[in-house]
Amino acid sequence: DEVKDDVHEINFNMRSKNNSSIKMAKGKGNDVYLKLNKKPIWDLELKIGAGNLDFDLSDYKVKNLEVKTGAAEIDLKVGSLVKETAIDVESGVAKIKIKVPKSSACEIVLDGALNAKDFNGFDKQSSGRYKSDNFDTATNKITIKIKSGLSAVTVDRY
């Protein structure tokens, strides 16, 4: 844990000194359960090698969420507690599922080759760019930028 001004940096290293996986307990995997305070506005930067990420952030004020990963399964859910939320995902081979509230407008920018996409409820604006039908009228906006290759990308509205 390192503190710089109002920024707290927390690093989890899930490898031992000889670079083998750490076992938390016999029969248990390398799972991390993280609880956040609901009061601050969050800027989250997550760097994950291979693995699964499952975050329900719908009850938190998330302004910026950056996820960088290799081969992974990513499941994110964000809410509408701030006017503007930016989600930036960079991945290799991945399964990416993001849930956004219907009350917020949403824009998706997808960059990469050979990606399967499912953007139900979004209108294609141009190559790799999609918007929800309420983009010009909604108070809250979510921007999702995904840079990936060989991935399955789904954005659902709830």
Side-chain angles (χ1 to χ4, degrees), residues 4 11 23 33 40 43 53 62 74 78 80 83-84 87 93 106 108 122 127 129-130 133-134 140-141 149 153-154:
K4 295 178 184 174
N11 294 303
K23 293 293 181 192
Y33 297 93
D43 289 329
L53 175 68
V62 178
I74 300 168
V78 295
S80 59
K83 280 192 176 263
E84 294 183 14
I87 300 171
V93 178
C106 186
I108 304 165
F122 291 87
S127 180
R129 185 175 296 269
Y130 303 82
D133 57 1
N134 64 339
N140 295 351
K141 296 188 188 301
V153 182
T154 302

Side-chain angles (χ1 to χ4, degrees), residues 126-142:
S126 60
S127 180
R129 185 175 296 269
Y130 303 82
K131 286 185 180 179
S132 61
D133 57 1
N134 64 339
F135 195 80
D136 295 326
T137 59
T139 303
N140 295 351
K141 296 188 188 301
I142 298 170

Side-chain angles (χ1 to χ4, degrees), residues 15-44:
R15 299 236 174 240
S16 65
K17 290 181 183 177
N18 65 5
N19 210 25
S20 64
S21 295
I22 296 173
K23 293 293 181 192
M24 299 298 205
K26 189 172 184 173
K28 302 287 182 181
N30 292 337
D31 295 337
V32 174
Y33 297 93
L34 184 64
K35 292 185 178 184
L36 300 174
N37 188 322
K38 293 183 180 183
K39 292 181 183 177
I41 296 174
W42 287 96
D43 289 329
L44 300 169

Side-chain angles (χ1 to χ4, degrees), residues 5 10-11 15 19 24 32 40 51-52 54 78 88-89 94-95 106 109 113 143-144 149 153-154:
D5 297 322
I10 301 170
N11 294 303
R15 299 236 174 240
N19 210 25
M24 299 298 205
V32 174
N52 295 341
D54 185 1
V78 295
D88 189 356
V89 178
K95 182 177 179 184
C106 186
V109 179
T143 303
I144 301 171
V153 182
T154 302

Side-chain angles (χ1 to χ4, degrees), residues 4 14 19 43-44 59-60 69 97 114 122 138 156-157:
K4 295 178 184 174
M14 299 304 287
N19 210 25
D43 289 329
L44 300 169
D59 291 334
Y60 300 91
T69 185
K97 186 171 185 178
L114 303 173
F122 291 87
D156 286 324
R157 300 181 77 200

Side-chain angles (χ1 to χ4, degrees), residues 87 89-91 96 98 107-119 124 126-130 143-155:
I87 300 171
V89 178
E90 286 186 35
S91 69
I96 302 165
I98 302 172
E107 178 180 36
I108 304 165
V109 179
L110 179 64
D111 181 18
L114 303 173
N115 290 309
K117 58 190 170 298
D118 182 3
F119 302 149
K124 186 174 183 176
S126 60
S127 180
R129 185 175 296 269
Y130 303 82
T143 303
I144 301 171
K145 293 181 182 176
I146 301 172
K147 187 174 185 179
S148 184
L150 292 172
S151 293
V153 182
T154 302
V155 178

